[in-house]
Amino acid sequence: MTTEMRMKNHAEPYFTVQDLKVGYDGMTVVDGLSLSLQQGEIGCFLGYSGCGKTTALRAIAGLEPTIFGNIELNGRCLTHQGGGTRIAIAPAKRDMGMVFQDYALFSHLSVAKNIAFGLNKWSAKAKQDRVTEMLELVGLSDHADKRPTQLSGGQQQRVALARALAPKPKLLLLDEPFSNLDVILRESLAMSVRDILKQTQTTAILVTHDQNEAFAIADKVGVMNDGKLIQWATPSELYHEPESPFVAEFVGEGAMIDGVIHDGYVATALGDIYRRLEVPDQNGQPQYCHYDYPNGTSIKVLIRPDDIIHDDASPQTAKVVGRVFRGANFLYRLKLADGQIVLALVPSHHNHPIGADIGIIPMLDHVVVFADDHLSASVWSEADKMA
C-alpha cells in the first residue's frame, strides 16, 4: 500500500451517521443526525433529558427503527433508509457492544462467567485467555469467582465494561454508564474507562447529561437539543468556539453581555475588543477576515469566568452580587457599572463579601460573539490591534 493510499484510508471515517431520522407515531425524536468518528475515537451525546440522545444511541445499535438515514461502521452499511432502499442489520450482527445504565449483569453467575457470556463461539482456551485478559484490564483479577452482588457499584460497572469488550466489538455503546454512582466515583471511573478504551483502541459512543463526564471521556462531544445535534466538536471547541447561543450557555459557565460593532472592534461595557475575525475555510483551517457586520450592529458577547481576572490594584471594578465557594476558588457573580452581570473564578483567599467592589482585568483574548439569538457564533481570537 502506498503512502498516499494509507493517508487516504486514515482520513476516511471509521464510523459515520448521515441524516439519521428516528420517530414514533408521527413524532420525530431524532432529526437529521450526522457525525463521524475515526477508529479509536470516543464520541459522546450530551444533553438534557428528553433531547433524543438515548434514542440516537439505540438507533445506532439497531434497537430502534429509523425513518431515514444511513449508518456505516468500518466500511459496512448497517442502516440505510431512503430512496426506496431499506437496509437494517439485526442488532446482534452489528459487531457492537453495549454497557447499560443498570449494568445488566447476571447475578447467578460469577464475574468470570459474566465476562465470558458473549464468547460462546470461542474455543475453551481462547475463552479462558480472553476472560483472564479482561479481568486484568479492568483490575478485577482477584474477584473472578465472586458474584456481582458481592462487588461495589464501581466494580460492577467495570465487569459490565469487560463483558462488553470481551468479544472485541467494532463499536462500544455506553448508555449513562455512571449515573448510579456517586460523584467522586463517577469522576475517577470515567477517567479509568477512557484509559481502558484508549488502551484497547476501542471506538465508542457515550450518552450522558453530565458535561464533566463527557469532557473527561470523549474526544468528540455532540450537544443535542430537541432531537437535533446542535454541534459536534472537541470539548475545547465546544467551550471556546460554540456555534450557537444554546451551546454557549449549555457548556461551561458564562454570561452574555451587550456589544456594538464598530470599525475593527466591538465596544462593550468591559472595554473595546480589538480583534480580527477567525473563521474556518472549506478545509476547516482558520483564516482571518474583517468582521462583516455593518457599524452599529448590536451583538451579544460570551464572557467566561476565566475571561475576568481579579486584581485588587485594577482601576476597573465590579460589584460582588453573588458568590459560590468551591474550595480552591470562589465563583463570583459581578455587576458591571451599567448593571450587566459577568462571572469570575477567583482563588478563595480573595474572600470578598457580597456588596464589595473588587478590581477586575478583562482578558478578552478569545471571545465569542453572536449577532442575535439565531445566528451562529463567530470567534474573535488573538491578533494585532487594527488601526
Side-chain angles (χ1 to χ4, degrees):
M1 182 182 291
T2 66
T3 301
E4 182 179 350
M5 290 175 66
R6 282 196 297 270
M7 291 177 64
K8 180 180 179 181
N9 288 341
H10 179 72
E12 293 175 353
Y14 177 77
F15 173 70
T16 60
V17 177
Q18 295 177 319
D19 297 326
L20 191 69
K21 187 174 182 180
V22 185
Y24 318 94
D25 302 324
M27 180 180 68
T28 299
V29 180
V30 175
D31 190 4
L33 183 74
S34 294
L35 60 96
S36 66
L37 289 171
Q38 296 292 348
Q39 186 168 13
E41 279 193 314
I42 304 170
C44 176
F45 295 141
L46 174 66
Y48 297 117
S49 296
C51 71
K53 57 187 185 294
T54 294
T55 299
L57 194 78
R58 288 176 58 82
I60 290 170
L63 300 174
E64 301 289 351
T66 60
I67 299 172
F68 188 83
N70 192 70
I71 301 172
E72 291 188 5
L73 176 60
N74 194 28
R76 179 186 178 212
C77 181
L78 303 179
T79 295
H80 180 78
Q81 183 76 28
T85 304
R86 184 178 186 275
I87 298 172
I89 302 300
K93 297 182 178 181
R94 293 194 172 210
D95 289 326
M96 295 182 183
M98 195 154 187
V99 179
F100 298 95
Q101 180 176 342
D102 59 358
Y103 316 143
L105 299 175
F106 300 107
S107 59
H108 65 289
L109 297 180
S110 67
V111 167
K113 289 182 178 179
N114 265 279
I115 294 173
F117 185 78
L119 306 179
N120 292 332
K121 295 183 179 180
W122 293 41
S123 69
K125 184 179 186 309
K127 182 188 296 188
Q128 182 58 51
D129 289 346
R130 184 61 173 167
V131 170
T132 300
E133 181 184 359
M134 290 294 98
L135 285 167
E136 184 176 344
L137 180 68
V138 298
L140 293 174
S141 297
D142 294 336
H143 302 277
D145 296 326
K146 291 182 179 179
R147 301 289 177 87
T149 53
Q150 296 174 285
L151 304 180
S152 68
Q155 289 171 327
Q156 289 183 48
Q157 188 58 280
R158 280 185 280 158
V159 175
L161 178 63
R163 184 180 62 183
L165 289 174
K168 300 182 180 180
K170 290 185 170 63
L171 181 68
L172 181 66
L173 306 176
L174 304 102
D175 186 9
E176 297 273 11
F178 312 117
S179 61
N180 291 333
L181 306 176
D182 61 69
V183 174
I184 295 177
L185 182 57
R186 282 163 62 176
E187 291 178 355
S188 63
L189 190 57
M191 291 185 287
S192 176
V193 167
R194 177 178 169 83
D195 290 343
I196 291 170
L197 295 179
K198 288 300 180 182
Q199 185 177 337
T200 56
Q201 271 293 289
T202 302
T203 310
I205 298 181
L206 164 80
V207 161
T208 183
H209 61 274
D210 186 330
Q211 60 185 269
N212 292 326
E213 193 174 286
F215 288 2
I217 295 179
D219 301 303
K220 299 285 182 61
V221 177
V223 177
M224 294 189 66
N225 186 42
D226 290 336
K228 295 182 180 294
L229 187 64
I230 308 302
Q231 186 173 354
W232 178 258
T234 67
S236 177
E237 289 168 338
L238 289 177
Y239 185 84
H240 292 293
E241 303 173 31
E243 293 180 352
S244 72
F246 177 83
V247 174
E249 294 174 352
F250 182 81
V251 174
E253 296 169 313
M256 298 282 190
I257 66 170
D258 297 327
V260 179
I261 296 292
H262 287 291
D263 292 327
Y265 70 92
V266 180
T268 77
L270 290 169
D272 296 338
I273 306 171
Y274 291 87
R275 297 290 178 265
R276 290 177 295 174
L277 177 65
E278 178 188 335
V279 295
D281 63 18
Q282 61 182 1
N283 297 317
Q285 299 300 313
Q287 64 178 3
Y288 295 97
C289 63
H290 295 301
Y291 204 75
D292 57 0
Y293 291 133
N295 285 342
T297 299
S298 296
I299 61 171
K300 293 291 185 182
V301 182
L302 173 64
I303 305 296
R304 297 291 193 190
D306 46 308
D307 293 326
I308 306 296
I309 307 301
H310 172 43
D311 186 340
D312 289 319
S314 175
Q316 187 172 3
T317 63
K319 185 181 294 294
V320 177
V321 294
R323 65 181 200 164
V324 177
F325 181 64
R326 295 186 171 177
N329 303 287
F330 277 109
L331 181 67
Y332 282 115
R333 191 165 176 262
L334 303 175
K335 180 183 288 187
L336 305 178
D338 67 349
Q340 296 189 89
I341 300 295
V342 295
L343 303 175
L345 201 59
V346 178
S348 59
H349 61 271
H350 293 277
N351 187 2
H352 297 287
I354 292 177
D357 290 314
I358 66 172
I360 61 171
I361 299 176
M363 300 293 287
L364 307 180
D365 294 334
H366 193 101
V367 297
V368 182
V369 302
F370 299 94
D372 59 36
D373 288 342
H374 304 290
L375 294 182
S376 58
S378 301
V379 179
W380 291 61
S381 62
E382 186 64 40
D384 295 331
K385 286 188 177 183
M386 299 174 63

